[in-house]
Amino acid sequence: MEEINEQSRKPIEHARREKLKKEKPLVYEKIIKYDEKEEKGESTAIIDFCYDYKCNMHCSHCCNLSFAKKEREMTVEDIADIARQADELGLAQFNISGGEPLVFPDLDDIVKAINPEKFHISMSSNGLLLTKEKAEHLKSIGIDKIRISVDSINPEVYNQTRQVKGEAVYQKAIQALFHAREAGLQATIQSVMSHQNCISEDTEKLAEFAHDNNFNLDILIARAIGEWEGKEEVLITPEDNKFLIDLRNKYPEVHRDTFPTYGKKAECGCVNRNLHITKYGDVLPCVFIHIAIGNIFEEPLADIIERGNRIKWFKEKNSLCLSGENKRFIREYMSKFYGKPLPISYKEAFSEEDFIDGVVR
């Protein structure tokens, strides 16, 4: 892999840690113990959860409508219990996703249930409802960071992805970033990169825009899921990844899941650095791998993480993203949930050979 200049990002990371230490000392105390936890093989996962799939947009790469409805759905009380378990495990980060969290009528209750004093809380949003007043309110209730989806600096390309017309929606998304920054939130651009749009002048301009305006740029590489199910042609290539590395070295605000951060090695973070919990309680190794390794309504989070770590693919270190770059994993395992109600069970996806102790349980 092309070498990444980690030194260029250190000032950004240092500033964030200092801000966290000042604003949320209890969270900071947990974060600084992460290196020790990882040495012990313990999870330091960000818990991303979907409280609801309600949304005010219909984007081309979305796969939320594929999740099978179940009788029991996430409640505010469930979130409080998940947060309690996460705190006991020494975890420190939550991300609220959807759907679109800004349409949730009980968003304030959700944040309160997580307990902002004990967790760094981020939120993924399309930004359309993020006014100046709303951004200030989010900061006041304990939100720390907001990721705004902007897939291109070019309004026409943005509209194609978001399946909208005119520049009004695009401008709202851009303005939301400035509202977030001015309110004291960590404002982050979240952008999906496929092989078709990765190496482009638009991507370079998006990174430059982020750099010039003090926004982070989080790259989500395309996965062959949702409306792209089975379409491996959207996956990035090694050449695409080299382009993103070069972009990171030029603009330290650029980041993607397998890039090093805070001195950590570049690797896929399934289970130990990322977990996703669906509206129906199913726990996924990451939001893109629709294989449930347990259900939070049925067993403790600690047991589910332990099971995930017994699966070789998640226990072993992977330099490539399993869901977006490792074609063997995509073809042998992710393909098993293609065309099916999501998610499928780990028992359907993995065999005894996939577990480090040879036991599927």
Side-chain angles (χ1 to χ4, degrees):
M1 177 184 284
E2 185 85 5
E3 186 174 349
I4 296 176
N5 179 11
E6 296 184 57
Q7 295 300 319
S8 64
R9 194 172 170 88
K10 281 191 174 182
I12 297 173
E13 295 174 347
H14 177 73
R16 288 179 185 165
R17 284 284 171 91
E18 288 301 307
K19 187 172 187 285
L20 182 66
K21 184 178 181 180
K22 179 181 179 181
E23 295 183 355
K24 294 188 174 183
L26 295 180
V27 181
Y28 177 79
E29 289 301 317
K30 287 194 283 188
I31 290 285
I32 60 175
K33 296 177 181 177
Y34 270 16
D35 287 345
E36 180 183 341
K37 285 177 66 63
E38 290 186 353
E39 287 179 5
K40 295 178 181 178
E42 298 177 4
S43 175
T44 58
I46 297 173
I47 298 180
D48 176 89
F49 72 92
C50 177
Y51 181 72
D52 204 321
Y53 296 121
K54 293 177 182 176
C55 191
N56 53 353
M57 297 193 81
H58 181 68
C59 305
S60 61
H61 51 263
C62 182
C63 57
N64 285 343
L65 296 179
S66 299
F67 283 90
K69 292 183 179 180
K70 296 183 179 181
E71 183 175 346
R72 183 169 178 183
E73 300 179 354
M74 186 86 69
T75 66
V76 171
E77 291 73 23
D78 290 324
I79 293 170
D81 186 60
I82 295 168
R84 176 191 59 78
Q85 294 183 59
D87 184 50
E88 290 175 355
L89 292 171
L91 303 181
Q93 297 166 281
F94 270 86
N95 182 67
I96 305 169
S97 64
E100 170 52 53
L102 290 179
V103 306
F104 301 165
D106 45 0
L107 179 59
D108 285 26
D109 294 332
I110 293 169
V111 175
K112 184 178 180 180
I114 296 172
N115 192 343
E117 290 187 4
K118 293 184 177 181
F119 293 96
H120 179 278
I121 304 174
S122 58
M123 186 175 76
S124 299
S125 171
N126 56 43
L128 302 192
L129 300 177
L130 191 69
T131 62
K132 178 178 181 293
E133 293 73 21
K134 176 62 75 172
E136 291 172 348
H137 177 71
L138 293 180
K139 179 64 177 177
S140 73
I141 64 174
I143 297 287
D144 302 283
K145 173 180 179 178
I146 188 162
R147 299 177 173 92
I148 304 296
S149 297
V150 179
D151 292 321
S152 175
I153 199 68
N154 183 329
E156 292 183 4
V157 177
Y158 173 93
N159 287 353
Q160 290 173 4
T161 303
R162 302 289 157 179
Q163 302 190 53
V164 295
K165 295 181 180 180
E167 286 198 27
V169 174
Y170 168 82
Q171 291 298 339
K172 284 184 178 180
I174 295 297
Q175 194 59 51
L177 288 161
F178 290 95
H179 290 327
R181 188 190 66 186
E182 291 165 7
L185 295 166
Q186 182 183 328
T188 297
I189 300 169
Q190 195 166 64
S191 187
V192 176
M193 294 287 166
S194 67
H195 173 62
Q196 287 70 29
N197 73 339
C198 185
I199 303 178
S200 68
E201 184 179 356
D202 282 351
T203 302
E204 177 89 31
K205 288 182 177 179
L206 185 62
E208 183 179 10
F209 172 76
H211 176 77
D212 291 344
N213 292 284
N214 195 30
F215 300 136
N216 210 40
L217 173 57
D218 278 0
I219 302 296
L220 295 180
I221 62 170
R223 274 79 169 183
I225 58 176
E227 293 191 15
W228 291 340
E229 186 171 275
K231 297 180 180 179
E232 290 189 9
E233 61 268 22
V234 305
L235 304 179
I236 67 166
T237 64
E239 291 73 25
D240 295 329
N241 190 50
K242 180 182 182 303
F243 172 82
L244 294 176
I245 291 172
D246 291 341
L247 204 62
R248 158 70 172 269
N249 288 337
K250 185 175 181 180
Y251 302 108
E253 295 79 10
V254 175
H255 186 68
R256 61 155 295 204
D257 51 1
T258 57
F259 285 178
T261 182
Y262 294 101
K264 300 182 187 300
K265 293 182 179 180
E267 59 190 33
C268 184
C270 292
V271 178
N272 282 317
R273 293 187 182 177
N274 299 283
L275 282 173
H276 177 75
I277 305 178
T278 73
K279 176 181 178 178
Y280 308 107
D282 292 307
V283 181
L284 314 183
C286 86
V287 67
F288 305 108
I289 299 177
H290 299 151
I291 301 170
I293 57 174
N295 188 290
I296 198 66
F297 301 153
E298 300 171 357
E299 54 188 331
L301 180 61
D303 291 354
I304 296 172
I305 291 175
E306 188 271 336
R307 176 182 296 119
N309 270 325
R310 289 195 300 106
I311 298 172
K312 295 176 182 178
W313 285 97
F314 307 139
K315 183 64 175 178
E316 297 171 355
K317 307 300 182 183
N318 299 284
S319 60
L320 295 178
C321 170
L322 287 177
S323 61
E325 292 175 288
N326 191 312
K327 291 189 176 180
R328 181 187 168 193
F329 184 83
I330 293 167
R331 291 168 182 172
E332 291 186 15
Y333 300 93
M334 292 180 64
S335 64
K336 292 181 181 179
F337 62 69
Y338 289 171
K340 298 179 181 179
L342 302 177
I344 63 171
S345 168
Y346 68 94
K347 294 179 180 179
E348 184 178 349
F350 300 109
S351 66
E352 294 177 351
E353 294 180 353
D354 296 308
F355 283 78
I356 58 176
D357 57 3
V359 180
V360 180
R361 54 178 169 83

